[in-house]
């Protein structure tokens, strides 16, 4: 049983690395789609993503959620908001990468957890611990330093972080699985995207049929590039603790940052290094505080479980009581720190890096919480 659990965790980790690795390396893909512009690439991504996830859902026969969603106008409206916000996020990211701003785009996903926390305070009236306040303050200082270094606010980073934090907030309220949510969002995006592609074709500006079969295949592959990391993420989310996923999420912007410097050759003057150093300090504080709080919660739950077990032993006299106590503490639903770390309320994700990870519900073929870049 323990060996099976370790095997499941190993599979989960491999899928987690695969998901965040693909999201981190995606800047290598978008330049391959030139001479298509960012608008055309975005429209193809929305169109082909719907095709891919529709086929996936047909294979696993998971369509019951669609009828339920259509009967709930409020949730459907939130899905429309999520579709609009992620459209902005995708469009800005594709444009940024193909315009030589990979490093600035990676900064957006570094500061996304900080923006998410700030939105929680401003919109949800959440209360922060002192270390979290310090992290947010350090992140704000980093943005100021970078604005001075760039000679302007890092608007690409801020746009990506704000749009993705908003997307995460809306997704939390919709409460749909990742693939189902992507299907619903791209279904809303589909007609405008298809209309734009037809308009481009009518005006002779489409590259889909004019740049060869290879170019057409790459544009169609945008659906796979969008959905495949989500499938891997879903496999990871149900097998590894949320604290682990929270650490893995930084792989994507780290890979993007390194690609921007070493592959795309973007400049990193001293003031930009200073700004990034402050961002990394803020994330270190945030991560340390989260891990410390999770450890404290696990100890509290363990102590509660031990007290409950002792109370069960004392309640029944003799050996029967001792046996009853063992059964009580081993029944499903007993407080267990390991369960608390995997089935918590959520952690930052990232298809788009930063969306809350849903509580683990047991293995499902396709389930992921977010859409990365």
């Amino acid at each position: 049983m323990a060996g099976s659990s370790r095997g499941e965790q190993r599979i989960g980790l491999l899928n987690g690395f695969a998901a965040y690795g693909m999201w981190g390396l995606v800047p290598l893909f978008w330049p391959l789609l030139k001479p298509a512009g960012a608008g055309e690439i975005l429209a193809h991504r929305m169109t082909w993503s719907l095709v891919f996830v529709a086929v996936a859902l047909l294979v696993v026969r998971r369509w019951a959620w669609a009828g339920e969603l259509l009967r709930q106008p409020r949730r459907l409206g939130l899905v429309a908001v999520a579709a609009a916000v992620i459209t902005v996020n995708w469009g800005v990211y594709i444009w940024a990468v193909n315009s030589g701003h990979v490093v600035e785009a990676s900064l957006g996903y570094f500061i996304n957890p900080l923006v998410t926390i700030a939105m929680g305070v401003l919109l949800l009236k959440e209360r922060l611990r002192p270390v979290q306040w310090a992290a947010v303050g350090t992140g704000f200082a980093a943005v100021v330093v970078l604005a001075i270094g760039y000679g302007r606010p890092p608007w690409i980073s801020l746009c990506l972080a704000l749009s993705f934090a908003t997307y995460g907030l809306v997704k939390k309220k919709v409460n749909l699985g990742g693939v189902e949510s992507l299907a619903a969002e791209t279904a809303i995006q589909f007609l405008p995207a298809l209309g734009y592609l037809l308009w481009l074709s009518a005006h002779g500006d489409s590259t889909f049929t004019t740049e060869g079969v290879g170019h057409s295949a790459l544009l169609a592959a945008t659906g796979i590039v969008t959905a495949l990391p989500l499938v891997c993420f879903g496999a990871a989310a149900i097998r590894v603790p949320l604290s682990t996923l929270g650490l893995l999420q930084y792989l994507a912007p780290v890979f993007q940052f390194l690609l921007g410097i070493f592959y795309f050759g973007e400049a990193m003057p001293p003031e930009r290094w200073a700004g990034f150093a402050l961002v990394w300090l803020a994330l270190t504080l945030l991560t340390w505080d989260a891990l410390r709080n999770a450890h404290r919660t696990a100890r509290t739950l363990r102590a509660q479980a031990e007290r409950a077990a002792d109370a069960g032993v004392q309640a029944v006299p003799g050996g029967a009581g001792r046996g009853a106590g063992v059964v009580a503490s081993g029944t499903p639903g007993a407080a267990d720190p390991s369960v608390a770390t995997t089935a918590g309320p959520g952690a930052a994700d990232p298809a788009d890096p930063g969306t809350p990870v849903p509580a683990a519900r047991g293995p499902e073929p396709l389930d992921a919480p977010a859409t990365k870049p």
Side-chain angles (χ1 to χ4, degrees):
M1 216 50 179
S4 173
S5 176
R6 284 196 295 269
E8 284 290 298
Q9 286 207 355
R10 191 177 300 112
I11 292 172
L13 281 173
L14 289 175
N15 277 282
F17 278 113
Y20 286 109
M22 283 186 277
W23 282 324
L25 297 176
V26 76
L28 297 173
F29 179 72
W30 304 124
L32 300 178
L33 304 181
K34 293 179 179 180
E40 183 180 3
I41 295 171
L42 175 63
H44 275 286
R45 182 178 191 181
M46 294 188 291
T47 303
W48 293 107
S49 292
L50 177 61
V51 173
F52 184 88
V53 294
V55 171
L57 290 171
L58 278 173
V59 170
V60 298
R61 299 182 181 180
R62 277 169 57 180
W63 288 103
W65 61 271
E68 183 181 339
L69 180 63
L70 290 173
R71 291 190 295 270
Q72 297 177 309
R74 183 177 178 277
R75 284 183 80 200
L76 194 58
L78 289 173
V79 171
V81 172
V85 173
I86 203 61
T87 297
V88 173
N89 184 273
W90 284 355
V92 171
Y93 186 82
I94 293 169
W95 177 86
V97 170
N98 284 359
S99 300
H101 299 286
V102 177
V103 170
E104 191 174 348
S106 74
L107 175 64
Y109 292 108
F110 276 124
I111 67 175
N112 178 69
L114 300 170
V115 173
T116 300
I117 288 176
M119 289 182 67
V121 172
L122 296 174
L123 301 179
L124 304 179
K125 307 303 180 184
E126 295 179 354
R127 300 179 64 179
L128 300 186
R129 295 183 292 274
V131 176
Q132 291 176 313
W133 276 117
V136 171
T138 305
F140 179 77
V143 171
V144 172
V145 170
L146 288 165
I148 295 172
Y150 280 110
R152 57 171 175 80
W155 71 266
I156 294 174
S157 307
L158 294 174
C159 183
L160 290 174
L162 285 169
S163 61
F164 201 75
T166 303
Y167 179 69
L169 180 65
V170 175
K171 293 264 285 189
K172 186 175 182 179
K173 295 181 179 296
V174 173
N175 193 28
L176 268 180
V179 175
E180 290 90 343
S181 182
L182 180 62
E185 291 156 17
T186 51
I188 292 172
Q189 296 168 332
F190 181 77
L191 287 179
L194 183 61
Y196 179 70
L197 291 175
L198 292 174
W199 181 84
L200 283 179
S201 182
H203 286 76
D205 295 325
S206 172
T207 65
F208 186 68
T209 58
T210 61
E211 298 295 325
V213 176
H215 180 72
S216 301
L218 285 173
L219 285 172
T222 53
I224 299 175
V225 169
T226 300
L228 187 58
L230 278 176
V231 175
C232 292
F233 185 89
I238 60 178
R239 291 178 172 88
V240 299
L242 291 179
S243 57
T244 303
L245 286 178
L247 294 174
L248 286 177
Q249 72 172 320
Y250 295 123
L251 284 177
V254 165
F255 285 166
Q256 293 165 17
F257 175 77
L258 294 175
L259 283 174
I261 296 176
F262 296 109
Y263 182 82
F264 293 100
E266 295 184 20
M268 281 293 291
E271 59 272 19
R272 195 173 297 180
W273 278 113
F276 269 87
L278 286 172
V279 169
W280 295 330
L281 174 60
L283 293 177
T284 300
L285 290 172
L286 204 61
T287 303
W288 173 75
D289 182 67
L291 291 175
R292 183 184 64 166
N293 192 59
H295 182 65
R296 184 183 300 155
T297 302
R299 281 189 304 177
T300 301
L301 289 171
R302 190 180 299 113
Q304 290 174 350
E306 290 172 355
R307 284 197 297 269
D310 290 342
V313 171
Q314 294 171 7
V316 182
R322 189 171 301 277
V326 172
V327 173
S329 65
T331 53
D336 186 332
S338 66
V339 174
T341 59
T342 57
D349 162 18
D352 274 351
T355 299
V357 178
R361 299 184 300 275
E364 296 179 14
L366 295 172
D367 188 17
T371 314
K372 282 291 189 180

